[in-house]
Amino acid sequence: MTPRRTVIEIAANSVRSAMAAEAGGADRIELCEFLEGGGVTPSFGTIAYTREQLNIPLHVLIRPRVGDFCYGDHEFEIMLRDVSMCRHLACDAVVIGALDRKGNIALDLCSRLVEAAGDMRVVFHRAFDCVLDIDRNWTTLTSLGLHGLLTSGASDNANTGATQIANYVQRNSGLEIIAGAGVSPSTVQTLIHSTGAQAVHASARHLQKSSAAMRVISGLDPNFWQTDQELVQQLVQAVQLADSASQS
């Protein structure tokens, strides 16, 4: 029997975060910006430079703005161009998602994004957690030719959504189920054991206190979030323990 090996994916909001995640032992990066709002697509420069610096797979979030996942024509054109940019920069995968105003997957839009991705892998993000009818939309999801699903199990975090995540795994759709939201070194072992998810997703971030001399003005906070290498290492160790226990 092949030993269990849970993939560790870190949501990184900058090149420094991505490099810290790799140094800490992460298997791959999901690159984004503005994690505080659930993440949006990073800049061309951020993607290009991060791709140059990393030796592990790079997934890029395709989300033009925060808020709902219902996109108009102009936003969709931006998403198509961002997917094309990621192909040009030799990214390994894009992470997509779009819904219609009735709470269902926007099949036409998502199909076109998958087509635009070409030979890149495509993962559906937590927009799936927001659909109103999971079973109906599961059929749509699995018809798209995707490679993975990032999910909290339609819950506030993966720990409270563990039963639903386990259900997705048991459906054996061929999708890599990536459990994300609220994942930490202290919770990840229970999460892996209770869900059987093939991968876990965490930001492992820490608030960086700025030492820069500047006037502090409301809305221009000098402090910023960054992935912490030590937190990633702790997550890696916890996942390894969980995997070892599942094999004994």
Side-chain angles (χ1 to χ4, degrees), residues 13-29:
N13 63 349
S14 67
V15 64
R16 285 196 291 180
S17 287
M19 293 170 67
E22 180 174 34
D27 295 301
R28 68 180 181 229
I29 301 299

Side-chain angles (χ1 to χ4, degrees), residues 64 71-81:
Y71 302 118
D73 292 342
H74 298 307
E75 292 167 323
F76 183 62
E77 181 61 31
I78 290 169
M79 296 169 78
L80 285 173
R81 293 186 184 206

Side-chain angles (χ1 to χ4, degrees), residues 13 17 35 203-209 223-231:
N13 63 349
S17 287
L35 275 170
S203 60
R205 57 182 172 167
H206 180 75
L207 187 64
Q208 302 294 306
K209 297 289 187 177
N223 304 320
F224 58 95
W225 291 97
Q226 184 174 306
T227 297
D228 185 285
Q229 180 178 335
E230 185 175 338
L231 278 176

Side-chain angles (χ1 to χ4, degrees), residues 157-238:
N157 61 70
N159 306 297
T160 57
T163 299
Q164 186 62 263
I165 295 172
N167 176 269
Y168 296 156
V169 172
Q170 291 162 7
R171 293 187 185 201
N172 197 28
S173 62
L175 292 174
E176 178 189 51
I177 304 301
I178 309 160
V183 176
S184 69
S186 63
T187 64
V188 73
Q189 294 184 58
T190 299
L191 181 66
I192 290 171
H193 291 153
S194 61
T195 65
Q198 297 96 324
V200 292
H201 171 101
S203 60
R205 57 182 172 167
H206 180 75
L207 187 64
Q208 302 294 306
K209 297 289 187 177
S210 173
S211 60
M214 61 178 284
R215 187 186 303 276
V216 179
I217 298 174
S218 178
L220 299 176
D221 191 344
N223 304 320
F224 58 95
W225 291 97
Q226 184 174 306
T227 297
D228 185 285
Q229 180 178 335
E230 185 175 338
L231 278 176
V232 177
Q233 290 171 334
Q234 292 172 11
L235 183 68
V236 169
Q237 291 167 2

Side-chain angles (χ1 to χ4, degrees), residues 119-149:
D119 57 1
M120 288 189 297
R121 292 172 62 85
V122 183
V123 175
F124 203 94
H125 58 53
R126 290 187 62 212
F128 190 75
D129 291 325
C130 298
V131 302
L132 296 182
D133 184 328
I134 290 175
D135 288 332
R136 173 183 176 181
N137 282 279
W138 182 263
T139 301
T140 304
L141 183 78
T142 54
S143 73
L144 284 167
L146 302 163
H147 299 90
L149 169 66

